[in-house]
Amino acid sequence: MAFSSTLSAWAISVLAFAVMVSVGIANAQLDANFYSTSCPNLLTTVQPVVQSAVNTEARMGASLLRMFFHDCFVNGCDGSVLLDDNSTFTGEKTAFPNNNSLRGFEVIDQIKTAVEQACPGVVSCADILAITARDSVVALGGPTWNVLLGRRDSSTASLSAANTNIPAPSSSLSDLIGNFSNQGLSTTDLVALSGAHTIGQARCTNFRAHIYNDNNIDATFAQSEQANCPSTSGSGDNNLSPLDLQTPTQFDNNYYNNVINMKGLLHSDQQLFSGGSTNALVSTYNSNPTQFSTDFVNGMINMGNIQPLTGSNGGIRTNCRIAT
C-alpha cells in the first residue's frame, strides 16, 4: 500500500513536471496574436511610419529588411543590432558588415516612439524589427505574412559575433550553406532569402573583387559596373550600385534572372548559380514567382525564429539604442 501511494505520488509529480515543461514551451513560442490585448493597434501604428520612410526613399525598405537579417544572425532576433556602444560593451554597429553600411536606425527610433505612445513599455525592439521587415517588403510590392511576435530585447550585443556570423559578400557557396545551417536555416532558406537582393544597393567595396577578378560574371555587365567602382581600394569605396538593375525598388524575382545571366552584383550572389547544388532552386524561382514568394515568406518566418528571447528572458527597451 505504501509502495502504491509512493508510486502514485511519483506519477503525479512526473505529470506535474510534464505539464510545467509543456506550459514553458508553449510560453516560449512566438504568436502572431501576442499583442492582441496588450497593444491591439501595434500593426497599424508601425505600418504608416514604414510606408512614409519608403515613400521618402525607396531604398530604405531594403535597408530595414537588411537590418532584421543582421539582427537575427547575431545571437538571435533580440534587437541587439540597435544598441549603441556603452561603457560595458562595444555594440554591433561598428562591426565590419554594419559599419558605414547598415542604415535606418532613425526610422526604428520613430516607430518605437509611436509604439511607446500607444502602448508604453509593452512592445520589444526585436518585434518592431520583425514587423518593420515585413512592412518594408510589402511597401515595395512583395508578399505579406503574419509576423510571429513575443520576442524580448537583449541588454547586450556582440561585435565579434557580428563580424563572424553575418555572411560576407565574398562568401563561397559552401560558406553560405554552412553559415545558414549554423543558424538552423536550410539551403532553401538561403536561396529564397537571397532574393531580398531584388531591392537595395551595394557599396563598391563589397563588389569590387567580383567585377574585376571573377570569371563567372558577364563581361559587359562587369565593365559597366567598373565605371562606377574604381579598381583601387579606397577609391570610390562607398559608391553605390543597385543589386537589381531592372527593378531596384520593386520586390520581384528579377534577382534570379540576373544571377542566371551572370549579372549577380556580389560574388556571393553569383555563387548561387555557379554549377552547385543551388542552381535548380535559382531556376525555379526565376520561372515561378509564386514559389519564390512562398519560400521567401517561409524563410523570413524561419529566420525570425532564431533564438528569440521570450518569457522572463530579456526585457523591453523603451529606447532601442540603450540597454536597460
Side-chain angles (χ1 to χ4, degrees), residues 49-71 97-98 101-108 129-142 145 193-203 240-244 247-252 255 265-266 296 300 303:
V49 184
V50 175
Q51 188 67 59
S52 177
V54 173
N55 288 346
T56 300
E57 182 195 11
R59 180 190 171 204
M60 185 57 69
S63 297
L64 294 171
L65 174 60
R66 181 170 179 252
M67 191 184 297
F68 183 53
F69 177 88
H70 282 218
D71 183 47
N98 299 333
S101 175
L102 207 61
R103 58 196 296 274
F105 295 107
E106 71 285 353
V107 177
I108 301 300
L129 279 179
I131 298 168
T132 299
R134 188 275 309 275
D135 289 351
S136 295
V137 170
V138 173
L140 293 175
W145 62 93
L193 290 174
S194 294
H197 285 179
T198 188
I199 54 176
Q201 301 183 63
R203 295 185 299 154
L240 297 171
S241 187
L243 289 157
D244 172 8
T247 54
T249 59
Q250 178 70 29
F251 196 98
D252 53 31
Y255 167 82
L265 183 62
L266 304 179
F296 177 81
M300 288 297 294
M303 185 174 72

Side-chain angles (χ1 to χ4, degrees), residues 199-283:
I199 54 176
Q201 301 183 63
R203 295 185 299 154
C204 166
T205 188
N206 287 327
F207 60 84
R208 175 183 284 118
H210 180 50
I211 63 174
Y212 283 101
N213 302 331
D214 284 351
N215 294 320
N216 60 335
I217 185 171
D218 177 82
T220 301
F221 172 68
Q223 187 174 15
S224 68
E225 291 297 331
Q226 290 168 8
N228 189 45
C229 183
S231 60
T232 304
S233 178
S235 177
D237 282 1
N238 292 321
N239 291 353
L240 297 171
S241 187
L243 289 157
D244 172 8
L245 287 174
Q246 286 72 41
T247 54
T249 59
Q250 178 70 29
F251 196 98
D252 53 31
N253 67 331
N254 275 346
Y255 167 82
Y256 300 102
N257 183 261
N258 294 336
V259 171
I260 287 174
N261 288 301
M262 300 181 73
K263 295 180 180 180
L265 183 62
L266 304 179
H267 176 85
S268 55
D269 289 329
Q270 200 56 57
Q271 284 292 291
L272 299 182
F273 199 80
S274 295
S277 60
T278 55
N279 274 30
L281 272 173
V282 171
S283 296

